[in-house]
Amino acid sequence: MAVTLKDIARECGVSYSTVSKALKDSPLVTEATKRKIKEKAEQMNYIPNNSARSLVSNRSNTIGLIWPAVDRVAITTLASQINQALKKEGYFMVVSIEDPITAAQKFLELRFDGVIVFDEGEHTTLPTKITKNIPVVAYGVERELDYPIINVNHDLAMKQAIDALIHKGYHQVDYFGDLHTNDIRQIVKKDTFIRHCKQRRITYRMVDSGGLSEESASRAMKSFLANHDLNEGVVCGSYDITMGLLHHVKDTKQTPMIFSYDHIDQFNSIDTPVHSVGVPSQFIAQKLVDVLVDTIETNKVNRSVIQLKPQINYR
C-alpha cells in the first residue's frame, strides 16, 4: 500500500500537520525536524499525492502542450524550449499529440492549470466549453479566437526571404514546401510566396515537399532533380524540409542560395550555408509561457493577437 503522511508522522513521532509542513519546506518547522522527516519519507518511498493537493489548492502546477508531431526537429526544439520556460515558472509540462479537442478535454479533466495549443486552422479550434474552464494560448497565425494567439507572421518572413534574394541579385527562385495541406501556417507561407514574387516581378516555381518531414522532402527533391535543376535562389518552408533538400544539393550543378523558415540554432551546425528567417524559437517559447502564466495568475482572458516580428539570420 502507498505510504501516507500519517505513516511518516507515526514513524517520526510528530503530528500529521508537522509532516505536511516539513515536506513543503515551511519555515514553521525547524531545519533539524525537516531533515529528519524528509529522510524518513525517502526511506519509506513516500510519493506525494499531487491530485489530492490540487483539490485543496485548486492548482496542479501542470501545463498541457498540444503538439502536431514529435518527429520534426523544429517542432521538438520549440517544445523543449517551452518546457524549459515553464520549469522556470514552477510548472511541469505534459505533451499530447492527440487531436486538440480530445487532448484539451483530457487536460481539463485532469485539472491542469493551462493549455498551449499548436493552431493549424479551424479544425484545431478549441470549443468554448473547454476554453471557458481552462486558460489557453495558441501558437499560429492571426485569426479570431476565444483565447490569445501568438502570431509569428509567417507572411512577413516569406517576404523578407524573397527580398533578401532579390537584394543579392537573384531573380529566379524556387519555393520548396508542403503545397497540399490544410495547415493554415503552411498555406500562408506558400500563398505569400506566390503573391510577393508576382509583386516583385521575379520568376518562381513551386516545388512540393510531399509533407513536412525530412524524409518526405528528401524523396520529393530527389524526384524533382531527376528532371530539373534548382533555381539560383531557394526558399524552404521549414528546417526539416531544408534538411531533405540538403541531401541532394551536392548532386546539383551549382549550390543555390538557400533561405529557410524556422529560426533555430540547429542551422549553425550545417556545413552548407543556409540563411534562416522567422522569430527565434526561444522568443516564441518565452512569449507563449508569459501569456499563459499571466492568464492563469490574473484569471483574465485576453483575446488579442500577440504579434511577433520575424528576422533573418545570415550565415
Side-chain angles (χ1 to χ4, degrees):
M1 294 179 63
V3 176
T4 68
L5 295 182
K6 290 182 179 179
D7 296 330
I8 300 172
R10 185 169 52 252
E11 289 292 322
C12 293
V14 298
S15 68
Y16 170 93
S17 63
T18 299
V19 173
S20 178
K21 291 173 184 176
L23 295 180
K24 293 178 182 177
D25 276 325
S26 171
L28 299 177
V29 181
T30 66
E31 290 301 319
T33 302
K34 282 183 189 178
R35 185 165 53 253
K36 174 184 176 182
I37 290 172
K38 289 180 179 180
E39 288 176 355
K40 181 59 68 175
E42 182 72 20
Q43 292 172 8
M44 297 175 71
N45 295 317
Y46 169 70
I47 299 175
N49 187 339
N50 288 320
S51 295
R53 287 184 183 179
S54 67
L55 288 173
V56 175
S57 66
N58 204 31
R59 286 284 184 89
S60 66
N61 293 109
T62 306
I63 301 298
L65 177 68
I66 305 173
W67 226 236
V70 294
D71 61 346
R72 303 202 301 267
V73 172
I75 296 296
T76 54
T77 296
L78 184 52
S80 296
Q81 291 167 342
I82 291 172
N83 182 58
Q84 290 301 315
L86 284 170
K87 282 178 66 176
K88 292 179 182 178
E89 296 290 339
Y91 288 94
F92 180 79
M93 187 180 84
V94 174
V95 179
S96 174
I97 57 173
E98 266 284 3
D99 74 88
I101 296 176
T102 301
Q105 180 64 46
K106 181 56 67 175
F107 292 155
L108 178 59
E109 293 171 1
L110 292 172
R111 295 178 178 268
F112 282 16
D113 292 334
V115 174
I116 297 174
V117 61
F118 191 98
D119 184 68
E120 296 183 343
E122 291 298 330
H123 62 287
T124 62
T125 302
L126 300 183
T128 304
K129 68 177 182 179
I130 291 176
T131 60
K132 71 179 181 180
N133 289 302
I134 187 170
V136 175
V137 62
Y139 163 59
V141 304
E142 183 171 350
R143 65 191 192 93
E144 190 172 335
L145 293 171
D146 289 334
Y147 41 92
I149 185 165
I150 307 299
N151 176 26
V152 296
N153 286 288
H154 302 83
D155 53 348
L156 179 56
M158 290 296 101
K159 292 176 182 178
Q160 289 175 333
I162 293 167
D163 290 343
L165 284 169
I166 294 173
H167 181 72
K168 295 290 185 180
Y170 299 106
H171 294 84
Q172 293 181 312
V173 300
D174 290 327
Y175 177 79
F176 188 35
D178 192 3
L179 304 185
H180 305 289
T181 176
N182 62 352
D183 182 340
I184 192 171
R185 297 169 306 107
Q186 308 307 321
I187 293 171
V188 167
K189 290 177 192 176
K190 68 185 181 96
D191 287 353
T192 301
F193 183 89
I194 293 171
R195 185 169 57 252
H196 199 59
C197 284
K198 289 180 178 178
Q199 290 175 347
R200 297 303 307 270
R201 298 181 179 180
I202 62 172
T203 303
Y204 70 91
R205 293 181 305 189
M206 306 298 290
V207 184
D208 188 14
S209 63
L212 292 171
S213 70
E214 179 179 339
E215 182 180 3
S216 64
S218 178
R219 288 196 303 267
M221 184 50 58
K222 181 178 181 181
S223 177
F224 177 80
L225 291 175
N227 300 297
H228 308 86
D229 291 326
L230 282 171
N231 274 326
E232 53 194 7
V234 178
V235 178
C236 293
S238 74
Y239 172 88
D240 296 274
I241 290 174
T242 302
M243 293 305 295
L245 165 68
L246 293 181
H247 287 306
H248 307 285
V249 164
K250 64 180 181 297
D251 300 326
T252 61
K253 295 179 180 179
Q254 61 183 49
T255 302
M257 175 169 279
I258 303 171
F259 281 84
S260 174
Y261 187 80
D262 281 326
H263 202 317
I264 57 178
D265 292 339
Q266 281 84 344
F267 281 110
N268 295 326
S269 61
I270 297 176
D271 293 333
T272 303
V274 175
H275 311 300
S276 60
V277 62
V279 179
S281 57
Q282 298 96 326
F283 191 68
I284 297 172
Q286 191 62 58
K287 182 60 68 171
L288 284 164
V289 171
D290 288 346
V291 173
L292 183 62
V293 170
D294 182 68
T295 303
I296 293 170
E297 293 182 350
T298 63
N299 200 29
K300 293 180 179 179
V301 178
N302 179 1
R303 293 182 174 84
S304 66
V305 177
I306 295 90
Q307 306 283 358
L308 302 184
K309 187 176 181 179
Q311 55 189 260
I312 290 179
N313 190 10
Y314 288 99
R315 292 175 175 84

